Amino acid sequence: AAYLDALDDTAATHGRRLWGMPVIESPEMIHRETRDDQLLAVRGLLDKHRDSVLAVRTGATDLSGVYGIRRGRDLSIYDVRLVAEVLTDVVNVLGRADGTGFVVTGPVWEYYGGNERLFKPRLRQAPFLASDAEHLRTDLITQDLDGLIREVVLDAANGLTGKTVIHPSHVPVVHALSVVPHEEFVDASDILGRTAGASASAYRNKMNESRPHRAWAERVLTRAKVFGVAEADVGFVDLLGAEDGR
């Protein structure tokens, strides 16, 4: 509370807008008996400073450390059940799409250099072969960035937006995965363009429903304003290759 008060006071004094990104990473957040009360208290506090909170960050490394856990490069944070449950509860309380929530970001991926691997990489060859970019796939696996790719996808599936990065090699991956695919943009635009009902998507491969998909569609178009929209024939491999200069 004192920090957020100081942030607002400093902004007012200097006539500049200042943002805060509080981090959820304390032992009280991962301990089952205190988590609910802590999250509700944090929600009340952040609501008082809503105009100053850019995003709520999640500190998976600190949360894991409470139990002496460090996830390996072959695993995502969602494989560490103790921490995954915290992320779920944080999104549940602080990431709601009803106007009361905040942007909640994904935790750090710790790895950026190759080492011995126990499991096979899960990065499919086909998209890279189609773009004549097999070398890019090899580089990603060598740098343990295939694990980052998988975790960013899982972040989005679990209601998290963006990711804290600790190494320059992570930035192109996170940015490329943040660009809105053309298919998502078309779906979101269609959903927001109707008031009720369901219909087949323009890509003829799924059903779009105006009511349950509306909040998702609004978030997609917000992301599009920041990261842009890919052309219809441009995929993640193309974007990452462009960021990589290849």
Side-chain angles (χ1 to χ4, degrees), residues 14 41 108 140 166:
H14 295 277
V108 163
L140 291 169
I166 46 85

Side-chain angles (χ1 to χ4, degrees), residues 33-126:
E33 67 273 19
T34 53
R35 186 187 311 158
D36 291 345
D37 288 342
Q38 286 289 304
L39 280 172
L40 292 174
V42 167
R43 183 174 67 182
L45 174 62
L46 297 186
D47 195 52
K48 296 176 182 177
H49 298 270
R50 179 169 294 275
D51 291 340
S52 302
V53 178
L54 181 63
V56 176
R57 293 178 54 220
T58 51
T61 302
D62 283 61
L63 292 170
S64 298
V66 175
Y67 286 90
I69 295 171
R70 185 174 190 180
R71 48 84 179 266
R73 53 177 42 84
D74 287 306
L75 303 173
S76 84
I77 199 60
Y78 298 95
D79 295 309
V80 183
R81 297 305 309 157
L82 278 167
V83 178
E85 289 178 3
V86 178
L87 297 178
T88 297
D89 287 345
V90 169
V91 173
N92 192 319
V93 176
L94 300 178
R96 298 179 183 181
D98 59 0
T100 66
F102 300 85
V103 172
V104 181
T105 67
V108 163
W109 173 258
E110 299 178 27
Y111 299 99
Y112 52 86
N115 211 323
E116 184 178 2
R117 301 279 288 270
L118 183 61
F119 301 113
K120 290 182 179 181
R122 299 187 179 184
L123 208 53
R124 292 179 60 241
Q125 287 182 302

